[in-house]
Amino acid sequence: MLELDGYLVAPHRLQFALAYDTYDTWCLLLPISGAFDYRVGERHGTARFGDIVVCPPAGTLHRRMRTGTSFFHARFTTELAPPTGGTRLPDRDRLRGNLALLETATAPIATHVVTDLVLMLLRARTRSPRDRLVQSATTYLDEHCTSPGLSLGQVAAELGISPSQLSRRFRAVHGVTPVAYLRDLRLHKARELLTETDSTLRVIAEQTGYRSAFYLSRVFSSQTGQSPSEYRRTSRV
């Protein structure tokens, strides 16, 4: 089904070695932390954790980091036809599990991971209706997720739709509500700051849209099963 030609798990860096490249095989690129702009043919956008960018054989992948970024890159041949450009995956817990496998990966494990990523892409595209309003809502949440006053009502008002309608349509596309999606974005940013900085929990709360360190700690613990301090300690080992 899929043959892996090469892969790279790149640690945090400030820029890509090449601004663009053309490949003989399929390739995929996804951010583990940070964000980058991409263009594949006429498809372009900004990729953050949860997005996978795919370039077809003989295609050219343009990329530019918006922030310092760690990423996973793979080249492969397959009879499948993964969607070109950027696709946002609804199951980011499964994505995290796949990326965790790469920390000590052998070639067979890496092949399994890339195969599963391609299958997740195909599933996401076939199950998700194209809803431009939801795309706008997703972009708005991505860009404003660290705003402490951000609410479902505010996003719905920005788009001229009721909160209940937005929640229903958003869930149909992403498999989660806008509130859960926003929480996931904030917690992912909190994980980055816990592992990559020595900032206090109060500062991290301010930088991730939470009004207090106490509330961030409560949400973090309930969703991850670890306190922020435990996560910082175990993730840095």
Side-chain angles (χ1 to χ4, degrees), residues 26 53 56-57 74 140 146 149 168 185 202 211 215 219 232 236:
W26 289 93
V53 178
Y140 190 89
T146 58
R168 175 178 54 78
L185 287 175
R202 179 183 63 79
R211 296 187 181 279
Y215 187 58
V219 174
R232 171 174 270 170
R236 286 184 167 182

Side-chain angles (χ1 to χ4, degrees), residues 31 34-38 45-52 66-67 86-89 92 133-147 150 155 159 170 174 176-178 180-186 188-189 207-209:
F36 61 82
D37 295 327
Y38 67 87
T46 299
R48 298 176 175 83
F49 180 77
D51 296 312
I52 299 182
R66 280 197 165 198
T67 64
T87 300
R88 189 149 190 88
L89 300 179
R92 286 177 289 284
L133 185 140
V134 171
Q135 291 175 358
S136 296
T138 304
T139 299
Y140 190 89
L141 288 170
D142 287 341
E143 294 179 350
H144 297 84
C145 65
T146 58
S147 300
L150 188 61
V155 179
L159 298 172
F170 196 97
H174 290 297
V176 295
T177 65
Y181 181 87
L182 175 61
R183 181 196 63 213
D184 199 43
L185 287 175
R186 287 173 167 172
H188 179 71
K189 181 63 176 178
Q207 294 177 338
T208 53

Side-chain angles (χ1 to χ4, degrees), residues 6-206:
Y7 70 95
L8 169 67
V9 181
H12 186 271
R13 58 182 64 179
L14 297 179
Q15 62 183 7
F16 291 108
L18 298 173
Y20 63 90
D21 207 348
T22 303
Y23 304 91
D24 296 328
T25 61
W26 289 93
C27 79
L28 64 79
L29 179 66
L30 66 90
I32 300 172
S33 66
F36 61 82
D37 295 327
Y38 67 87
R39 179 165 60 84
V40 181
E42 296 182 355
R43 299 181 180 276
H44 59 88
T46 299
R48 298 176 175 83
F49 180 77
D51 296 312
I52 299 182
V53 178
V54 171
C55 183
T60 300
L61 172 59
H62 298 258
R63 59 279 181 124
R64 180 179 63 84
M65 289 187 182
R66 280 197 165 198
T67 64
T69 303
S70 59
F71 61 88
F72 175 61
H73 178 262
R75 293 177 290 105
F76 57 94
T77 55
T78 181
E79 296 178 357
L80 300 173
T84 297
T87 300
R88 189 149 190 88
L89 300 179
D91 193 347
R92 286 177 289 284
D93 286 337
R94 183 170 171 178
L95 174 59
R96 288 191 189 93
N98 276 322
L99 294 176
L101 290 174
L102 293 171
E103 294 176 3
T104 56
T106 59
I109 291 176
T111 300
H112 165 78
V113 167
V114 174
T115 301
D116 195 50
L117 293 177
V118 170
L119 292 175
M120 290 172 72
L121 285 168
L122 292 170
R123 189 176 299 112
R125 276 294 170 93
T126 55
R127 289 185 177 180
S128 297
R130 294 177 180 270
D131 189 324
R132 292 191 179 277
L133 185 140
V134 171
Q135 291 175 358
S136 296
T138 304
T139 299
Y140 190 89
L141 288 170
D142 287 341
E143 294 179 350
H144 297 84
C145 65
T146 58
S147 300
L150 188 61
S151 66
L152 176 62
Q154 179 181 339
V155 179
E158 190 75 22
L159 298 172
I161 190 173
S162 73
S164 60
Q165 287 178 310
L166 173 58
S167 188
R168 175 178 54 78
R169 290 170 63 171
F170 196 97
R171 190 183 187 96
V173 173
H174 290 297
V176 295
T177 65
V179 172
Y181 181 87
L182 175 61
R183 181 196 63 213
D184 199 43
L185 287 175
R186 287 173 167 172
L187 290 180
H188 179 71
K189 181 63 176 178
R191 288 187 183 94
E192 289 183 7
L193 294 172
L194 285 167
T195 56
E196 297 175 8
T197 75
D198 294 317
S199 299
T200 65
L201 193 59
R202 179 183 63 79
V203 171
I204 292 175
E206 293 173 352

